[in-house]
Amino acid sequence: MLRRLLVIVALCAASEGCGPDRRAHFETVSLELRPDTPDNDELFRFDDMEAVETLDSDRVRVHYTRVGRNAVPRIDVDRSGVPDYVELVRDRYDEYLEAYATMGYRAPLSDADLDDDNGGDGRFDVYLIDFFGRSDGAFQTDRCTNTCVGYAVQENDFAGYGYPSLDVATQILASHELFHAVQASYDAGQDVIVSEGTAVWATEALEPELDDFERFVSGYLARPERPLNRPSAGVVGDPFAYGSALFFRFLEERFEDPALVRVMWERVEDGTGGVADPTWYEALDNLLAQDQGVDLSEAFADFALWNAFTGLGPKPEGVSYREAGSYPPVAQTEVELPFELERPRHAQLSARYYGFPTGERDTIRVRLVGDFDGMQVWLLLGSGQTVRIFGGTNEVSAAVDGADRGRVVVANTGLEGPSRRASVCLGTPEEVDGCEEALEPEPPDDDPPEDDPPEDDPDPPADPDPVPGEDGADPETDAGGCRTGPFHGAGSALAWALPGFACVAWRRRLAFDGSSSPVRGGSASEDQAFTF
């Protein structure tokens, strides 16, 4: 164990790739400690006395043992001489490798040219080992430059994990971890939001009948005020990162193009388009502008609107997911009119939602006051299953016309720069005018410098304190995710020894916690689903 950590720490120190404001570009390194490496003192490994066998297909090699603490279930219904679970694992990984190839993705990088005995024959290796309930699987790396060669580790029997069957568990693990291997063939330096978000999206693309995606998206919908392009530093298995799969589903449905995610991964490869080291959201911004005629800011404004109709609310045609009713509702703050919120922090690529009864008012107006550059406001008015939608940059006004409920969506569509501190005024035109007059002159911007990120907090106090994940949190020092080794930075290597390595098992077996967006300057109650 210590040998692996020392290799990673030394590598980071030599390349200066693991500190704040740096994206990891590791020198080529081979980590020899696979689970079947002799004299291995890793926490999760085959024991020296266990007889490790293999089962092959043309693309996959599964490593397993029949006796010992890592033993797989012995059931062999087809009497092939190989446990059924091992055959299931081989077949599922083989099936998904073929499926990703059919979708146009690259294959995981081959390990055939590794200098040591790490698989060694070019097949994708899967090791079935006992994680003691602390994880259910991971993509692990052998060697990385800007891309990575690696393999998968998967729980040997899933005893006590709560999956309905070994097949369901393997469908989820194989599709997810293989997609990490696919990602590593393009670029190993992207952040946890795009890596975990697209891996969850990929599982849904291959196995839409599973409910994995529907459970994950609550991680995003519970915290839409967090920035989509800034991972939260130091949070292991961050539900927000996995829940961001919803954004990639939005892209697919909004632009009717399942290949869009693949092309985005092709665009993040180092040197693509003359960019030495592209980031996913910058590459996506250019891709959307070139192929769809809108930029990422415009797309995010639509994304914020679509999320207003998750849960049990109505589904206006063209502005909602096909399966919106099966997703949890987006977190919103219930307020009474007139309402004002003075200078909340609107992180880049984030949104806040406010629901309210219209009362006896004839007209509803919402206005952003102060620093609203790059902001988008949506006003939704409805009754029953009828909803009207109005949009603007900093002000929207509409006649109530019998609507008894309303919702306001405030989105910061900016990709870069500090968060915005626009105040929110909501009520009748007269009430909004009074709100604006009552606001104190805007003080100087108190955002911390971009190169000096604050301590991150996954559950921040009330506005205007920093939103988690913004202000330059570095993707490569974020230990989130279910991968380990240099593919995800030094923090992830530590995950082998720390409780945080349980990210995959934890994220699948526990419900995500939602929290309300706190308000100031107006009355508010607990979050509740918005239905018209």
Side-chain angles (χ1 to χ4, degrees):
M1 181 65 211
L2 181 60
R3 283 185 293 159
R4 180 187 290 272
L5 297 184
L6 288 176
V7 170
I8 296 294
V9 171
L11 181 59
C12 291
S15 65
E16 297 184 312
C18 296
D21 300 320
R22 294 184 184 274
R23 300 182 64 218
H25 274 261
F26 294 88
E27 299 296 329
T28 298
V29 60
S30 181
L31 299 177
E32 299 180 356
L33 305 181
R34 284 199 178 191
D36 60 350
T37 300
D39 300 320
N40 187 347
D41 58 358
E42 293 287 312
L43 180 61
F44 302 109
R45 67 188 187 280
F46 291 114
D47 293 333
D48 291 340
M49 300 301 294
E50 291 179 331
V52 179
E53 303 177 55
T54 61
L55 179 67
D56 294 345
S57 71
D58 290 342
R59 299 181 180 88
V60 177
R61 169 167 287 180
V62 182
H63 305 250
Y64 68 99
T65 185
R66 300 172 192 253
V67 179
R69 66 186 178 96
N70 295 294
V72 299
R74 295 187 180 186
I75 299 172
D76 182 16
V77 174
D78 62 1
R79 297 187 179 183
S80 65
V82 177
D84 293 342
Y85 174 49
V86 177
E87 294 176 323
L88 170 67
V89 170
R90 177 200 60 188
D91 293 345
R92 283 298 186 187
Y93 277 83
D94 196 65
E95 173 189 350
Y96 296 148
L97 282 170
E98 175 63 24
Y100 288 138
T102 300
M103 294 166 67
Y105 288 96
R106 292 178 184 171
L109 299 183
S110 171
D111 61 5
D113 63 346
L114 294 180
D115 295 333
D116 43 51
D117 186 24
N118 284 349
D121 66 352
R123 293 179 176 91
F124 186 81
D125 293 283
V126 184
Y127 296 83
L128 302 179
I129 55 177
D130 188 7
F131 288 103
F132 313 109
R134 296 174 62 184
S135 179
D136 51 7
F139 172 64
Q140 174 72 357
T141 59
D142 292 301
R143 186 176 70 186
C144 290
T145 53
N146 59 313
T147 57
C148 286
V149 178
Y151 56 94
V153 288
Q154 181 169 311
E155 168 63 24
N156 67 312
D157 60 9
F158 290 100
Y161 276 72
Y163 287 103
S165 69
L166 288 174
D167 191 24
V168 168
T170 302
Q171 287 178 59
I172 294 172
L173 266 294
S175 57
H176 188 101
E177 306 310 337
L178 270 177
F179 201 73
H180 283 321
V182 169
Q183 294 165 354
S185 71
Y186 294 98
D187 185 83
Q190 297 302 313
D191 67 44
V192 67
I193 290 176
V194 70
S195 63
E196 296 301 348
T198 57
V200 173
W201 169 88
T203 294
E204 180 73 0
L206 295 187
E207 300 289 356
E209 74 282 357
L210 298 176
D211 65 356
D212 216 43
F213 178 87
E214 287 75 14
R215 289 186 292 111
F216 272 135
V217 297
S218 62
Y220 179 87
L221 292 171
R223 301 302 301 275
E225 76 280 2
R226 285 182 53 175
L228 185 64
N229 61 341
R230 294 289 180 89
S232 190
V235 179
V236 177
D238 184 7
F240 182 88
Y242 294 94
S244 68
L246 185 63
F247 176 68
F248 301 102
R249 167 50 62 90
F250 160 79
L251 293 176
E252 177 185 352
E253 293 192 18
R254 165 67 175 81
F255 299 107
E256 299 180 345
D257 185 5
L260 198 153
V261 172
R262 173 179 57 79
V263 178
M264 179 193 70
W265 274 105
E266 293 170 351
R267 298 286 184 92
V268 300
E269 186 175 11
D270 285 6
T272 302
V275 180
D277 188 17
T279 61
W280 72 269
Y281 57 90
E282 292 169 337
L284 180 59
D285 185 38
N286 293 330
L287 172 61
L288 292 176
Q290 293 172 9
D291 292 358
Q292 306 295 339
V294 300
D295 60 21
L296 179 53
S297 292
E298 294 171 292
F300 185 83
D302 289 344
F303 175 59
L305 175 62
W306 281 39
N307 292 337
F309 299 101
T310 56
L312 301 179
K315 292 173 53 180
E317 185 175 354
V319 294
S320 183
Y321 305 96
R322 289 190 293 268
E323 302 295 331
S326 66
Y327 306 157
V330 70
Q332 74 168 13
T333 300
E334 185 71 11
V335 302
E336 296 291 336
L337 304 184
F339 169 74
E340 70 177 60
L341 179 58
E342 187 171 357
R343 302 188 72 245
R345 188 182 296 275
H346 305 280
Q348 57 192 237
L349 295 184
S350 73
R352 294 174 180 268
Y353 298 79
Y354 305 97
F356 56 90
T358 59
E360 301 299 322
R361 292 167 175 80
D362 295 325
T363 302
I364 299 294
R365 176 172 294 170
V366 58
R367 179 183 298 162
L368 302 182
V369 179
D371 180 19
F372 54 78
D373 185 39
M375 302 286 287
Q376 170 77 39
V377 178
W378 300 103
L379 173 62
L380 285 56
L381 295 173
S383 178
Q385 294 296 304
T386 301
V387 59
R388 293 174 292 133
I389 303 169
F390 308 89
T393 54
N394 73 304
E395 181 174 326
V396 183
S397 184
V400 172
D401 284 344
D404 55 11
R405 291 286 300 170
R407 168 175 278 183
V408 166
V409 184
V410 180
N412 180 357
T413 67
L415 276 61
E416 298 291 352
S419 54
R420 298 301 174 192
R421 303 303 296 269
S423 298
V424 180
C425 295
L426 176 62
T428 65
E430 294 76 18
E431 289 168 339
V432 168
D433 289 341
C435 165
E436 183 173 9
E437 292 173 3
L439 292 173
E440 296 181 1
E442 186 172 346
D445 185 11
D446 59 0
D447 276 324
E450 288 293 304
D451 58 354
D452 186 20
E455 289 294 324
D456 197 16
D457 180 5
D459 288 304
D463 292 311
D465 289 325
V467 172
E470 69 169 333
D471 300 318
D474 183 63
E476 307 315 325
T477 59
D478 174 27
C482 55
R483 298 165 301 173
T484 58
F487 182 45
H488 207 49
S492 293
L494 291 172
W496 278 96
L498 299 176
F501 184 68
C503 68
V504 185
W506 165 79
R507 62 181 169 81
R508 297 189 193 282
R509 289 184 287 147
L510 296 180
F512 295 129
D513 266 338
S515 62
S516 62
S517 301
V519 298
R520 177 184 297 175
S523 61
S525 65
E526 296 295 323
D527 282 1
Q528 54 185 268
F530 183 54
T531 56
F532 288 101

